[in-house]
Amino acid sequence: MTTKHNGPTRFPNLPVKEPTGAALIEQERAKATFDVKTLSKFIYGEEYLEKLDKIVPILENDPVFDKSRRYFQGRDEKIRDAWRKDRRFLELRKKHNWDDVDEKIVHSLYDQPSPYRLHYIMFVPTLEGQCNEEQRKLFLEPSKRDEIIGCYAQTELGHGSNIRGLETTATYIPETNEFEIHSPHLSSAKWWIGALGRTANYAIIMARLIIHDKDYGPHTFCAQIRSLEDHMPLPGLTIGDIGPKMGYNTVDNGFMMFDHFRIPHVSMLARYAQVKPGSGEYIKPVNSKLSYGGMVHVRASIVSETGRALARSSTVAVRYAAVRRQFYDSTSPRKWNGETIETSVIDYTMVQYRILPIIANAYALMFTGREMLRLYHLNIEAMKQGNFDILADLHATSSGLKSLTSFMAVDGIEECRRSCGGHGYSMFSGLGHFYNDYLPSMTVEGDNNMIYQQTSRYLLKTYRNVIAGTAQPSEHNLTLTYLAQYLQNPKAKCPATTPTDFLNPEVILSAFGFRAAYGIAKVAEQIDHQGRPWNDALVDLHRISRAHCQYFIVRTFFTAIQRDNKEDALKLGTGGRKILQAVASLFALHVMEKDLSDFVLSSYFSAEQLEMVKQQVQDLLKVIRLDAVPLVDAFAIPDYMLHSALGRYDGDVYPALTAMAEQEPLNNTQVVDAFEESIKPMRQFALKNRNDSAKL
């Protein structure tokens, strides 16, 4: 079809109505009560920010890392771009001599799941944690040199969270000193395995170890699954991609079935559990919890990611709320150059109540993730010395935090999207695409509605030990601390007499500790002495896990602020300390307000104190409102990472939206090809029907 002037659709070159978004956003920044760069350094450290500044222009100017077509791509194009990006990443890493921190920054900035990334997130860490010396040379070292590409094959078609229920078997064959991996049922198929569909040539395989007909439960194996020459699946394996998903479509999540697939004895990762060659004698780990270390690291990393996810989404929501204007406030009209203008939506209290606590959540979870990683490394060093005192509490807390924080992140991203109004539904907001890609965090590394039970079991066990006097005190075990305080005075009452008393961290922490301990004691009494079945108590078990983790986050947040001292090179300054203290208080009191029923049932609060909490939340919103834009600026998230018309640093929202709309492929021509094929015939069909009716 040839149509005159059938060129691309372009917007006329018109200015945005005054005041522009750029003017409004700069006015917001002028209100800052603290130094933004100083707070950024406090969050990340100066070295990280310097690396960030160096890497951003490298990616922005590399065609392979271009994001301009991202929102218009179908799945096939998406995953092919992901493979190209992974290859280019290896080239740039070598060229610029990037270290581990640089690599994390690159992947964070590009902000799109990719097949090869899972090699580093799951495959390599598992090998590092579970290989013996021989296996480190055979598997780990080649994987670090990128000579093999791995995936982590645990989840099955019929089993996810219940690892003990996995069906894939690994039977030891003493005659040949091999293991035979087999899928006995259709539901045994490995499923959802990232990078398995078309990328990986090696896999960590979780399978039930069978020796002389005895089942020793799930163990880990590392084996080649594809030819290193032509990439074909090895004989005995059926491998494919599971198909399109709600998001995460730049990763080839795959399936794999085993048909009596033989692997050598060395394939069973043997740092802890071992099978003696020939005899098949099973040597169990010295400590059954040794494998927890790797899970703690992954879950601690997830907590860190939830903080960054909320930082990103709140940056978009707050900046757009500052430049988006709706309605006139007759009681407090806003003036600009002497004229009354519409009110910025961020000045509406309901908007503040929706998005300012998400800023607080972001800060809280970023500090919590950092603390969890610190404890992880502390635990690793302790374990090397044969000290496992930290491990149980750390594993339990990491399990509960993974559940709680990923719920917080998913809910927060969606609330930020909704707060953006109609434009939040556009992919150009950057939030819809991000939300869909982030959703898997609810189920990876343990389904959120199941994994909390690991925390609950530990809390009940610890409570019983405290009651029995057998608990071993530890400076790193916060659970023992608040349980002991509760048992000293289970009838304690909150000492607050004014709303401002709830700005005192000690008052806040005492309330969270009492509430958690009360819930644990109540559930323990019901299960241990009243015969309440575990399944019947699941809702309350979730509540105590949540309460424990909220206590941990609140305490960590306040402690993080206190680390600013004379010896610390990262000084917050008076303004920075003051605003962070307000943000920490908002986080704690907003959580408290949402869960008031727990505090009421424990009889720790009076009715008057409940009103004080609500009032103080409202007062804190007013304080933080003035610094809302500077607070999200301190997250130091470049426009390249946001890829959002609404969240741009310069505030030029509407020119950015129209420019992105012009890139829509449907706008490449004034008249689409479908006009001749479908649109025109529809009209002709209607006209014919009218004419036929007229003849009748």
Side-chain angles (χ1 to χ4, degrees):
M1 177 190 72
T2 302
T3 303
K4 292 183 179 180
H5 312 300
N6 193 25
T9 302
R10 294 292 181 263
F11 281 87
N13 186 21
L14 295 173
V16 175
K17 182 181 179 181
E18 295 287 343
T20 64
L24 289 167
I25 206 78
E26 283 309 309
Q27 186 182 69
E28 290 291 330
R29 293 188 173 114
K31 300 175 185 177
T33 64
F34 64 94
D35 184 75
V36 171
K37 290 185 178 180
T38 299
L39 182 52
S40 295
K41 291 177 184 178
F42 184 76
I43 298 170
Y44 302 107
E46 193 164 2
E47 181 184 2
Y48 176 92
L49 294 172
E50 289 174 353
K51 286 176 176 289
L52 181 69
D53 289 341
K54 290 179 181 178
I55 292 172
V56 169
I58 294 173
L59 301 188
E60 284 182 323
N61 294 308
D62 193 302
V64 178
F65 284 84
D66 176 52
K67 295 183 178 183
S68 62
R69 306 303 302 167
R70 175 174 290 183
Y71 298 142
F72 309 109
Q73 293 176 325
R75 193 193 176 206
D76 184 68
E77 190 179 358
K78 281 177 181 288
I79 200 162
R80 290 181 186 279
D81 266 6
W83 283 321
R84 281 191 286 269
K85 188 271 295 182
D86 284 343
R87 176 184 173 182
R88 182 59 177 154
F89 164 72
L90 296 181
E91 296 169 350
L92 291 176
R93 183 179 66 179
K94 182 178 181 180
K95 177 180 178 181
H96 298 287
N97 195 29
W98 284 336
D99 60 19
D100 290 345
V101 176
D102 294 318
E103 291 179 21
K104 289 179 181 177
I105 292 174
V106 170
H107 292 298
S108 175
L109 287 172
Y110 190 64
D111 179 49
Q112 183 163 276
S114 67
Y116 203 51
R117 180 64 177 148
L118 295 167
H119 171 82
Y120 292 103
I121 294 175
M122 296 297 294
F123 186 75
V124 173
T126 301
L127 294 177
E128 286 181 326
Q130 299 192 38
C131 282
N132 61 24
E133 288 305 313
E134 179 186 7
Q135 292 167 334
R136 293 179 76 86
K137 294 178 181 178
L138 186 63
F139 302 128
L140 179 60
E141 292 178 10
S143 72
K144 285 189 168 183
R145 294 192 298 265
D146 304 305
E147 295 170 5
I148 61 177
I149 306 172
C151 62
Y152 186 85
Q154 175 174 294
T155 301
E156 295 178 353
L157 185 60
H159 285 88
S161 298
N162 182 19
I163 297 175
R164 293 185 179 276
L166 294 178
E167 300 172 10
T168 303
T169 58
T171 304
Y172 180 63
I173 311 297
E175 292 79 8
T176 58
N177 195 31
E178 294 176 303
F179 293 98
E180 185 175 271
I181 312 294
H182 185 60
S183 306
H185 312 288
L186 181 64
S187 54
S188 311
K190 294 300 180 183
W191 198 270
W192 284 111
I193 313 305
L196 172 61
R198 287 294 179 261
T199 306
N201 48 38
Y202 268 73
I204 298 291
I205 303 162
M206 186 71 77
R208 310 186 69 82
L209 176 61
I210 309 294
I211 307 174
H212 302 312
D213 296 325
K214 183 176 180 179
D215 188 338
Y216 288 88
H219 285 66
T220 49
F221 301 82
C222 182
Q224 183 179 341
I225 59 172
R226 282 188 171 99
S227 166
L228 300 183
E229 299 300 323
D230 61 12
H231 208 56
M232 285 292 292
L234 297 183
L237 299 178
T238 301
I239 305 176
D241 186 277
I242 67 169
K245 308 165 289 272
M246 284 181 62
Y248 227 74
N249 283 307
T250 49
V251 174
D252 53 328
N253 292 84
F255 61 82
M256 178 163 57
M257 296 201 75
F258 306 89
D259 184 6
H260 303 284
F261 180 66
R262 294 287 185 96
I263 59 176
H265 176 270
V266 74
S267 288
M268 177 177 160
L269 300 187
R271 182 175 181 180
Y272 303 121
Q274 300 168 26
V275 174
K276 284 190 175 182
S279 68
E281 179 186 350
Y282 179 71
I283 303 173
K284 65 180 181 180
V286 176
N287 188 311
S288 61
K289 296 182 176 62
L290 284 171
S291 62
Y292 285 3
M295 287 187 282
V296 168
H297 183 266
V298 172
R299 289 167 185 170
S301 299
I302 289 174
V303 175
S304 295
E305 290 170 5
T306 61
R308 290 191 290 270
L310 289 177
R312 173 180 174 172
S313 52
S314 62
T315 296
V316 173
V318 168
R319 286 178 179 169
Y320 182 49
V323 303
R324 178 188 176 203
R325 292 176 287 132
Q326 297 287 314
F327 306 107
Y328 295 91
D329 187 347
S330 58
T331 59
S332 182
R334 185 170 184 181
K335 299 289 185 178
W336 189 274
N337 293 334
E339 294 185 7
T340 301
I341 62 172
E342 288 181 283
T343 302
S344 293
V345 298
I346 198 170
D347 287 323
Y348 291 110
T349 306
M350 193 61 207
V351 173
Q352 295 170 17
Y353 188 77
R354 293 170 66 188
I355 64 177
L356 298 189
I358 297 175
I359 299 177
N361 291 354
Y363 275 95
L365 298 191
M366 291 176 82
F367 288 127
T368 300
R370 186 169 67 187
E371 174 64 5
M372 288 299 294
L373 289 171
R374 184 189 74 83
L375 290 173
Y376 164 76
H377 291 295
L378 186 69
N379 174 63
I380 291 297
E381 293 305 312
M383 287 172 61
K384 289 178 181 178
Q385 307 301 319
N387 181 353
F388 301 97
D389 292 347
I390 307 174
L391 182 57
D393 189 78
L394 182 58
H395 174 256
T397 300
S398 72
S399 300
L401 281 173
K402 185 271 171 185
S403 173
L404 173 63
T405 61
S406 52
F407 269 131
M408 290 170 63
V410 166
D411 291 344
I413 296 168
E414 174 61 6
E415 186 60 45
C416 285
R417 187 197 66 76
R418 292 179 182 178
S419 76
C420 293
H423 292 322
Y425 193 65
S426 168
M427 294 297 278
F428 304 150
S429 72
L431 295 177
H433 186 277
F434 178 50
Y435 178 79
N436 285 338
D437 278 351
Y438 195 81
L439 278 176
S441 67
M442 305 281 281
T443 48
V444 296
E445 279 303 300
D447 186 284
N448 281 3
N449 288 299
M450 294 295 295
I451 195 175
Y452 71 84
Q453 293 182 62
Q454 296 178 15
T455 310
S456 303
R457 282 194 178 90
Y458 168 78
L459 294 173
L460 294 176
K461 180 180 179 180
T462 303
Y463 177 76
R464 293 170 188 132
N465 290 341
V466 172
I467 292 292
T470 58
Q472 297 296 320
S474 169
E475 63 176 307
H476 303 294
N477 193 324
L478 304 179
T479 311
L480 291 176
T481 302
Y482 70 70
L483 284 174
Q485 290 174 347
Y486 169 80
L487 290 170
Q488 288 174 2
N489 185 9
K491 301 294 184 182
K493 303 293 180 183
C494 177
T497 57
T498 67
T500 54
D501 286 341
F502 281 100
L503 298 178
N504 184 334
E506 292 184 6
V507 171
I508 292 172
L509 280 172
S510 294
F512 274 91
F514 188 93
R515 170 255 198 143
Y518 172 84
I520 295 167
K522 183 178 179 182
V523 175
E525 169 66 22
Q526 293 172 343
I527 291 177
D528 295 349
H529 302 293
Q530 298 175 17
R532 189 181 187 188
W534 184 268
N535 185 53
D536 186 57
L538 285 178
V539 173
D540 289 326
L541 289 167
H542 180 264
R543 287 196 178 106
I544 64 174
S545 171
R546 177 185 175 92
H548 167 78
C549 292
Q550 288 173 339
Y551 170 85
F552 182 90
I553 297 172
V554 170
R555 187 182 188 280
T556 299
F557 199 167
F558 282 119
T559 302
I561 300 171
Q562 299 307 316
R563 82 181 179 95
D564 175 32
N565 53 55
K566 293 181 180 179
E567 290 76 30
D568 197 330
L570 302 173
K571 294 183 179 178
L572 269 174
T574 304
R577 181 189 291 276
K578 186 175 180 181
I579 191 62
L580 265 192
Q581 194 77 35
V583 171
S585 296
L586 177 62
F587 170 76
L589 297 183
H590 187 256
V591 168
M592 194 179 287
E593 182 184 21
K594 290 194 298 181
D595 291 347
L596 274 181
S597 61
D598 286 357
F599 294 91
V600 171
L601 289 173
S602 69
S603 300
Y604 190 71
F605 282 167
S606 66
E608 291 77 10
Q609 288 169 332
L610 299 181
E611 291 301 320
M612 292 178 193
V613 170
K614 293 181 179 180
Q615 181 58 52
Q616 197 55 58
V617 167
Q618 296 292 318
D619 292 345
L620 285 167
L621 292 178
K622 294 182 177 69
V623 172
I624 294 170
R625 158 64 189 98
L626 297 175
D627 282 304
V629 169
L631 278 169
V632 297
D633 284 350
F635 291 137
I637 303 176
D639 282 352
Y640 173 78
M641 178 181 175
L642 290 176
H643 194 42
S644 167
L646 306 186
R648 293 171 58 94
Y649 183 84
D650 63 12
D652 279 334
V653 169
Y654 301 119
L657 266 175
T658 54
M660 293 179 89
E662 287 178 346
Q663 296 177 47
E664 162 59 49
L666 288 174
N667 292 327
N668 288 341
T669 58
Q670 298 286 336
V671 180
V672 294
D673 292 341
F675 173 72
E676 292 290 345
E677 179 184 345
S678 301
I679 300 173
K680 184 178 179 180
M682 283 193 295
R683 182 172 182 274
Q684 290 173 335
F685 180 75
L687 291 172
K688 184 177 183 299
N689 283 345
R690 187 183 69 176
N691 292 334
D692 290 345
S693 298
K695 292 176 181 178
L696 295 176

